Amino acid sequence: MSSSRPSDIGHADTDLPDPADLPEADGAAAPDLFADGVGFTDESSRTAHGTDDTMAYAVSPGTAPATPAGSAGATSTSGPRDPGGPTLRERWDATRERVRPWSAWTLRAKLVASMLALFTVLSMMTAVFTVTALNQALIGQVDQQLSDSLNRPSRGGDDDGGPGGGPGADRMEVYLTADGNAGYVYRSGVRTSLTSSQIALVKAAGLGSTPKTLDLGGEIGRYRTVAATRPIRNLQTGDQVIGTYVAGISTGPTDVIVGRMIVIAIATVAAGIILVALLGTWLVRRNLEPLRRVAATATKVSQTPLASGRVALGERVDPADTDTRTEVGQVGAAFNEMLDHVDEALNARHQSEQRVRQFVADASHELRTPLASIKGYAELSRREPDVVPQTVTHAMGRIESEANRMSSLVEDLLLLARLDAGRPLEEAPVDMSMLVINAVSDAHAASPGHRWDLDLPPEPVEVTGDGARLHQVVANLLANARTHTPDGTRVTTSVRPEGEWVRVAVHDDGPGVPESLQPNVFERFARGDGARVRASGSTGLGLSIVAAVSKAHGGRVELDSRPGDTTFSLLLPAASAVA
């Protein structure tokens, strides 16, 4: 550091200070004014700030500088943790489980949440930018005052105004010389001396020409400070020495203004979030109302049975919601067009089904006459009095057998066609217990090699329906068990009332229905593989007739099969439920 001689100062009326008037604090050695981080060492900056101005000071006795207490060794004051309560991670996991994932949110919730998030981010960024800009502007004004204070010539000092060159009210001045240190704070015209520890903080702050914020703690608070090397005049002796002059201005007013601005910004952002949430929810709901109406139409269409029969799709999106100039209108128009195509396809399917059903019914009806003639001629050949060759007799027997089989197939097809056409069945009380007894008796006569068991309740169980068709259903289930299981298989037929239903179950311990066939076992012409080999001719229509007749009675049929445990169940409405 280059020092200035007294002859260079240029103030003839300024005398050198008496070293005796600069007491050391508590007998400590004179501080090193030019230690690292203290003082002003830039020669050009010293000239720019007017180092020829003589600074005056008065040294007050004080205590030895104390090293500021650091934060090391500070202990945590957090309370004891409750070992029995949930951990923070457990609470966080529980909260995440209660919150629905983003993919499960409704479109309205996503739009409102996105608006709120965007508004919050932009508002916070604007608030931070505004507060930062205001703080920088206020700090810039303080820094300008500090610069002016260093360029102002010395005027001497008094008890009220302090030494000359001070920056104004709520300011701080510190003098660091080889003969001693002194510091003062001026607040509302009242001068307060700094303690030795506070002066030590100033000295250790590494101040220079660039303004820095220094916190002296306590009632002193924070100051914006700069330092410069100046000739300093002792007010008591008039002597001059080269020392470091530290000037500071309180940031208290600036902090108050910035704090108020922060409160205003937070309140404004919070009010804006609430307003955007309310108005955004209303606007989004209002703009999505056409989409809600389209969804309501789609829901009604989805509840329309489309599996079979004539289907009339009368639901359409309102014309007001089919304006193709809007996104929702495009969806509504496309949905209406799709419904038109589906309606046409369903009507075409229904007409095709009707033609097929009519063809099957007509063909079955027309085939009955030639089949009856074939069976009649076959029976007539057996009554021929003349000797018929054995080969002819065998051939005619086979013709009669196949004619009988074809007649059974035609009758089944005709029955299915009538059921598909929705022809009403007879409705009369039917004793299912007696019907099952007769059906099992017929099955026993047809296949004495099987073991036929009955499991009936003590009281008769009645349903309302067509007795002949119900007998055919039970007979088909028993025939299915007889045909697809080997001799010695136990077949148990049971009847059980189950509330508003009556369950007729046929259980066998045979090889079971293949798993691949179970979904289609009640479809027409469905046949099993090697697991349930047909021991005799089967048309593949028996179980489909079971399903069709049970549906015509308002019931259903079920299958539960695994090797050694197969059960076909027929569920019919009880007579009391129908009544």
Side-chain angles (χ1 to χ4, degrees), residues 428-442:
V430 179
D431 186 350
M432 292 302 298
S433 298
M434 183 56 65
L435 186 148
V436 167
I437 291 175
N438 294 334
V440 171
S441 177
D442 295 341

Side-chain angles (χ1 to χ4, degrees), residues 305-455:
L306 307 176
S308 61
R310 180 180 294 276
V311 179
L313 288 179
E315 295 293 338
R316 292 294 186 276
V317 178
D318 191 89
D321 299 328
T322 57
D323 187 356
T324 55
R325 293 174 297 179
T326 65
E327 290 79 0
V328 177
Q330 293 173 5
V331 174
F335 187 69
N336 279 351
E337 186 175 357
M338 181 190 69
L339 289 180
D340 292 338
H341 292 324
V342 171
D343 192 21
E344 294 176 0
L346 292 176
N347 288 330
R349 183 204 65 182
H350 177 68
Q351 294 174 4
S352 177
E353 289 178 352
Q354 288 297 103
R355 288 193 295 268
V356 171
R357 290 170 183 170
Q358 187 63 38
F359 169 77
V360 172
D362 294 342
S364 300
H365 182 74
E366 294 297 329
L367 286 175
R368 297 172 71 182
T369 301
L371 286 174
S373 299
I374 293 174
K375 289 193 296 184
Y377 281 114
E379 293 176 1
L380 184 61
S381 65
R382 292 201 305 267
R383 300 178 183 179
E384 180 64 36
D386 296 335
V387 178
V388 179
Q390 184 66 27
T391 56
V392 175
T393 302
H394 176 73
M396 297 304 296
R398 293 303 305 156
I399 290 174
E400 184 178 6
S401 174
E402 291 302 321
N404 289 331
R405 182 172 179 270
M406 185 177 293
S407 296
S408 175
L409 175 61
V410 168
E411 292 295 335
D412 290 344
L413 288 175
L414 186 59
L415 173 61
L416 289 174
R418 290 172 177 173
L419 293 175
D420 290 341
R423 294 187 181 182
L425 299 175
E426 180 183 353
E427 293 187 2
V430 179
D431 186 350
M432 292 302 298
S433 298
M434 183 56 65
L435 186 148
V436 167
I437 291 175
N438 294 334
V440 171
S441 177
D442 295 341
H444 178 70
S447 179
H450 286 71
R451 302 175 59 183
W452 303 95
D453 294 337
L454 282 171
D455 183 8

